[in-house]
Structure formats: C-alpha cells, structure tokens
Amino acid sequence: MATALPDALLSDALLRGLAAVVGESHVLTGDATAGFAVDWTGRFQGHSPAVVRPRDTAQVAAVLALCTQAGVAVVPQGGNTGLVGGGVPLHGEVVLSLGRLSQLGPVDPDSSQVTAGAGVTLRQAADAHLALDLGILIASRDSATVGGAVATNAGGLRVLRHGPMRAQLRGVEAVLADGTIVSHLSGLVKDNTGYDYPSLLAGSEGTLAVITQARIQLVPRAKDPVTTIVGLASLDELHSLARQAVRDVPGLLSAEFFTQAGLGILTEHADLAPPLPMRAEAYLLLEACGPGALDDLAGIVAEHPAAVGVSAAERARLWAYRERHPEAAGFLGVPIKLDVSVPAAHWVRLASAAAGVVADVDPGARVITYGHVADGNVHVNIVPAAPADGRHEDAVFSFVASLGGSISAEHGIGALKARWLPLARSGPERALFARIRSALDPSGTLNPHVLPR
C-alpha cells in the first residue's frame, strides 16, 4: 500500500517531477500547505508534505502516476467543505487540490446538460444558464465544488424534488491511481453499454479514482418561488404538516426544519431576529414554485403562525434561518457534526430523541438538530462537555441503527465514522467494497484511510 509521510519530506526527485508537471508555483510545501490540512469545522487537522495543484486531466494523470510509482499516498481535495475529515491529510498524505480544474463548458440546451471541471463551484454550475439550474442546493455552494459534490454524493435542500448528486450525473471523466484516464461524457440518458462507473464513483470519497470532469443534468429554474416558515408546537406536528405538503403541493421544492435550540443560538450570536413574533418549539420551512405556489402553501399553513417570502430578498431572509444552522454549534465550541437518516416512519422518533440519547452519555452537551423532513434526514450537531472520545457518535449511531437507519445520509464516512461502518454495512458488503478498491487502486494510493480496503 502507498505510504503517507507524517514526519518526512518527499524525495527531491519526486518534488522535481511534480513541479515539472504542474509548475513550481503549484507545488506547495511547508507553511503554504496549512490551509489544506484542516477542515471547515476545525475538528480535523492533519499535515501534508506537499499540496499539488494540477490544471487539467492530463496533469492529474501525470501527478498520480508519479505518486503511485513512488509509493506515496494521495488525498484528493475539492472545496474542502466536507464535514467528516475525508478530504484532510490526517496521515501525512500528499494533497491533490483540484481547484484549478475550473473549466465550465457551454450548456447544451437540447439535453439541458453541461460539462464542468472538478473545480467548478456549485454556484457557478447553477448559474451557467438563465433558464436552468443545478438540482443540488447546499449552504456551501459558493465554495463546494462539482468534483467534491460527486465524490461525496452531496444531498442538500432539494433532494425531495431532484435527488442527490448521483441523480444529476450523466457521465464523468476520471483518473485511476496509476494515471489511466477513463472518460464517458456523452451525456446519453439511454446508454446500456456496460457498467455505470460514474454512479459508482459518486459517493466513493476519493477512494477509487479522481474525478476531473462531470457531465451534469440541469433542471428547469424554479419560477415564482415562495418560501414560508411555520411555527409549530412539536416535531410530530411538523412532520405531519410536511407530509401533507409533499402530498398536496405539486411545486414543492424543499421541506426543512430547525428547532428553538438552534434558533436561540443564532439570534444570540448571528444577529438574526426571530422569524415569528411568538416562540415555537419547531419550525418548518417550505418552498414551492409555480403559479399556484402561494395558494398551495397557504392551504398547508392554514391557521398556524407563519412568515411568507415572495421577493428574492424576503426569501433569502427566511432561508438564512435554516442555512445558517450549520454555523450554530460553532459559536459554542468545536462541534461534532453527525448526519443520519432513518425510514420516514421513524423520523419523528429520531428528531425528538437525538438530544436525549446524547444526554445519556454527556449530560452537559449542547445539541442542535435541523435538516430535511421529507427524506428521513436529521443533522445532529453536538458541542460536547465530556471528552470527544467517540461516546457521542456511539450513542447516536447505535440509536440510528436500531431504527434501521444510516450513519451517513449525506456527508460520507470519512475519518469521523469509519469505526461505526459495521452498524450500517454487513461483513460481505464491506468485503465487496475492499474488492472493488483493490481492482481500481491495487497500489492503495488514493485516500487509503477512508472506507474499507
């Protein structure tokens, strides 16, 4: 298996080789690597002997071939907005930063598709055409990249309408660890000529190949969107109302939730006034589009206290309450960010009991829950009072497993969840993962400490 270099520099020969491929200014060493060795939360901090910044697929291939020949491990990195440590060089790996692969092709209006380099931000992909949009909407869209979104199978705020990133994918170009380039970017919807390796790479967390370009299916841009926040007395009531919206609002785009626990932190630390004049225990954010959206949402809201936004400014103000929730725990300390899902029938139990499950192992912990109502997903953010030694993850993940759920709904396994993967995947499944990895990366070059090998 390829080797990380925790306490040593790369050989002069390898550094010269990398510089010959990408240029000396794009091989960063020493203090210049620091920003690439820590994640957004600050929880995962590693170190790297070098950060290499190729500009195109050919340079990625040459870099990987050199590293594989030298037996040096590589961590691919996109916008570094991940939350499970999967893109951080925790064991001294070389970082392959893909930010310079930023070419965005013209939109094909006949297929409503576009080919984007791995370093294109999700915002840039979403703005590529006036009448079309990217189906994936996440809070970090200004810095999260297409390559990272594919590699982690990003979800977000419109999964109930458009599905996760895998559902937007119509092809990829990628480089195997030995430098072999595989490319299938025709974008055909009907193409039964072999294995669907683009779908396999979606969610692979940089362990099978390095994605350099993606062919993306765009969706019609929402017309006349309307956003509302509804105040409710309980999560059970919130869930029932969200289910009604899924049934009765044809143009429904999003069904999101947050609670008073997170809102209170944001109003104190983020200068956000409460969205409603009266306090509620739980808040449901709904967004819908189309000519009847306002009336459709009014029928759902009925007599409940609510705020409604129609203009772009009004809608952005309401969305801020949900989209700033990932920041809330960070105001209190270094958070543990857990992202879990359960069958829809158990969503209320998960959302209601998560804080109590954490309190059983750490009574002083602060817990903020928020997320997506219609697809069984809850983000459980914990600011621990007791040592962050795995007790919090063990409690939440064991509870989720008892409900038949997943320990990772959107963010992946990375470093954070590796030891708990057996809760979600059987022995034969994990063995299959290892066989697939061995076939595509026999040298163990790519992200060797993430997912089973």
Side-chain angles (χ1 to χ4, degrees):
M1 190 168 86
T3 304
L5 301 174
D7 298 306
L9 297 176
L10 300 178
S11 71
D12 289 340
L14 180 55
L15 283 172
R16 287 194 301 269
L18 295 173
V21 172
V22 303
E24 287 188 16
S25 63
H26 296 295
V27 179
L28 310 181
T29 58
D31 292 344
T33 67
F36 297 85
V38 60
D39 77 325
W40 176 74
T41 69
R43 185 179 183 198
F44 294 100
Q45 298 187 38
H47 54 279
S48 177
V51 175
V52 186
R53 303 178 66 243
R55 72 165 182 264
D56 56 27
T57 299
Q59 288 191 356
V60 171
V63 167
L64 286 179
L66 285 171
C67 289
T68 295
Q69 290 163 12
V72 173
V74 174
V75 170
Q77 190 179 100
N80 200 18
T81 60
L83 298 174
V84 294
V88 179
L90 296 175
H91 302 272
E93 301 91 341
V94 165
V95 172
L96 183 64
S97 174
L98 300 165
R100 295 180 67 213
L101 277 70
S102 57
Q103 183 175 359
L104 182 62
V107 172
D108 177 358
D110 292 317
S111 65
S112 298
Q113 294 177 2
V114 68
T115 298
V120 172
T121 68
L122 298 188
R123 171 78 75 180
Q124 290 169 328
D127 291 345
H129 194 279
L130 287 175
L132 299 170
D133 199 357
L134 181 65
I136 294 298
L137 179 65
I138 60 177
S140 59
R141 55 191 173 274
D142 290 317
S143 51
T145 59
V146 166
V150 174
T152 57
N153 190 29
L157 305 171
R158 292 183 176 175
V159 167
L160 74 85
R161 182 66 175 251
H162 302 300
M165 192 68 189
R166 183 181 283 116
Q168 327 303 317
L169 203 57
R170 293 293 177 265
V172 299
E173 181 174 88
V175 182
L176 303 182
D178 64 1
T180 299
I181 298 170
V182 291
S183 184
H184 200 65
L185 295 169
S186 62
L188 297 176
V189 176
K190 291 188 172 182
D191 184 4
N192 288 340
T193 55
Y195 302 123
D196 185 17
Y197 68 82
S199 184
L200 177 64
L201 296 184
S204 62
E205 300 188 57
T207 62
L208 302 180
V210 176
I211 295 160
T212 57
Q213 293 190 85
R215 183 75 172 178
I216 301 169
Q217 184 72 55
L218 301 176
V219 301
R221 192 169 297 279
K223 294 182 179 180
D224 305 315
V226 180
T227 307
T228 184
I229 289 180
V230 189
L232 298 158
S234 68
L235 287 167
D236 189 72
E237 186 179 17
L238 182 147
H239 188 241
S240 295
L241 202 65
R243 289 178 59 195
Q244 182 184 344
V246 170
R247 289 194 308 267
D248 298 344
V249 180
L252 189 67
L253 295 169
S254 302
E256 300 291 308
F257 90 100
F258 54 92
T259 72
Q260 185 61 42
L263 179 62
I265 295 168
L266 291 177
T267 56
E268 180 179 355
H269 295 278
D271 198 28
L272 286 180
L276 303 174
M278 68 289 294
R279 174 190 170 106
E281 289 305 309
Y283 297 85
L284 175 65
L285 185 151
L286 299 173
E287 183 163 271
C289 65
L294 185 59
D295 290 339
D296 290 339
L297 289 177
I300 297 295
V301 172
E303 300 302 317
H304 297 290
V308 178
V310 176
S311 71
E314 292 170 336
R315 292 176 48 248
R317 182 182 69 83
L318 295 181
W319 267 109
Y321 293 101
R322 167 59 184 87
E323 289 201 298
R324 296 201 65 180
H325 257 72
E327 301 174 45
F331 287 117
L332 305 180
V334 177
I336 300 170
K337 287 180 165 287
L338 306 182
D339 156 48
V340 293
S341 65
V342 293
H346 298 312
W347 184 89
V348 173
R349 187 175 174 196
L350 169 62
S352 301
V357 167
V358 173
D360 287 341
V361 297
D362 184 2
R366 297 285 295 274
V367 181
I368 300 120
T369 56
Y370 59 91
H372 320 291
V373 186
D375 51 19
N377 186 187
V378 175
H379 297 291
V380 183
N381 286 194
I382 304 164
V383 182
D389 54 8
R391 71 183 75 192
H392 308 88
E393 293 93 334
D394 193 56
V396 173
F397 293 157
S398 296
F399 177 55
V400 167
S402 75
L403 300 177
S406 169
I407 65 172
S408 180
E410 296 184 314
H411 298 159
I413 297 299
L416 175 63
K417 303 178 180 181
R419 68 187 257 200
W420 291 280
L421 187 58
L423 289 174
R425 294 290 191 167
S426 68
E429 285 180 302
R430 300 195 305 277
L432 177 60
F433 290 175
R435 290 167 67 185
I436 292 170
R437 289 195 70 171
S438 180
L440 272 68
D441 179 17
S443 61
T445 298
L446 295 173
N447 228 357
H449 299 282
V450 173
L451 292 177
R453 175 170 290 286

